Amino acid sequence: MSFLSFLLGEKKKTASVAKERLQIILAHERSGRGSSRADYLPQLQQELLAVISKYVKIAPDDIRVSLERHDDLEVLEVKIELPDGAR
């Protein structure tokens, strides 16, 4: 967000807000302050569903969020199935 945008009060795009939220969640989890389980994943899935539903009709089962840990590597996987007419 630029200084001018801040002063003029421009509204941020939904995608950029979602990206920032995801970065904050990941940074929090990586810092070790978060719990050992990924308690935020169901909430993340619901928020993604709410954002995507604004643009495309999608069922809750069409979004799957998972976190896999292998040694010191973490992989956040988000699978979203869009209807054929949405592409």
Side-chain angles (χ1 to χ4, degrees):
M1 176 185 234
S2 70
F3 184 70
L4 186 57
S5 296
F6 177 74
L7 288 177
L8 296 177
E10 273 185 35
K11 189 174 179 183
K12 295 171 100 176
K13 301 245 185 233
T14 306
S16 65
V17 172
K19 179 181 175 184
E20 287 176 12
R21 286 181 183 169
L22 182 58
Q23 289 173 335
I24 290 169
I25 289 170
L26 291 175
H28 177 73
E29 288 299 312
R30 286 182 183 154
S31 71
R33 290 181 286 151
S35 63
S36 60
R37 295 182 358 248
D39 293 335
Y40 62 90
L41 290 181
Q43 181 181 356
L44 177 62
Q45 186 169 347
Q46 290 300 317
E47 289 181 7
L48 286 170
L49 178 65
V51 170
I52 293 169
S53 294
K54 290 181 180 180
Y55 304 97
V56 178
K57 185 173 171 89
I58 190 170
D61 295 338
D62 292 339
I63 296 179
R64 287 179 295 286
V65 179
S66 64
L67 180 68
E68 296 178 11
R69 292 189 173 113
H70 303 283
D71 298 325
D72 57 341
L73 177 69
E74 294 181 353
V75 177
L76 177 66
E77 183 177 33
V78 179
K79 292 184 180 180
I80 303 170
E81 293 181 29
L82 296 174
D84 288 334
R87 294 180 189 160

